[in-house]
Amino acid sequence: MWTLKQFNYLITIVETGGFIAASEKLFIAQSALSRQIKNLEEELGFEIFDRSEKKIRLTPAGEALYKSLKTNLDHLKSLFHFDLKCPHIF
């Protein structure tokens, strides 16, 4: 089952440029972060990152996933932010 936490991990890896920097920012062990992404890849049925070179990069499928997640999670955050500012609306 996919989780928002895994999606946040993926976004953080992309935005920090790698697993080590992301693990430091997220306060999680690099091995645990790698395992979460590997689990996500297995559940999705495709590789998110191309690990064939020293520096990781998104696969085409990973790029599409990242863009979609980023857009949708940003939208979700803005909805919660709006709700917190205007609780009387709901």
Side-chain angles (χ1 to χ4, degrees):
M1 178 63 121
W2 314 324
T3 66
L4 287 175
K5 184 184 287 188
Q6 288 173 314
F7 296 153
N8 184 52
Y9 288 170
L10 173 102
I11 290 168
T12 304
I13 293 165
V14 173
E15 293 179 350
T16 60
F19 283 83
I20 294 171
S23 67
E24 291 171 357
K25 184 174 182 175
L26 294 164
F27 302 103
I28 182 174
Q30 189 269 328
S31 59
L33 180 59
S34 294
R35 188 170 43 254
Q36 285 293 319
I37 296 301
K38 199 63 167 163
N39 289 344
L40 181 59
E41 288 176 323
E42 288 173 5
E43 290 177 26
L44 292 170
F46 61 84
E47 289 187 353
I48 298 167
F49 293 102
D50 178 359
R51 298 172 179 86
S52 63
E53 299 179 17
K54 186 166 181 122
K55 182 171 169 71
I56 63 156
R57 61 177 207 247
L58 289 167
T59 63
E63 180 73 30
L65 177 64
Y66 166 74
K67 287 179 180 178
S68 178
L69 288 174
K70 181 71 173 149
T71 300
N72 287 302
L73 290 178
D74 285 348
H75 181 68
L76 184 62
K77 286 178 188 177
S78 72
L79 289 174
F80 281 112
H81 182 69
F82 179 78
D83 184 45
L84 293 174
K85 285 187 155 194
C86 306
H88 61 281
I89 292 175
F90 299 99

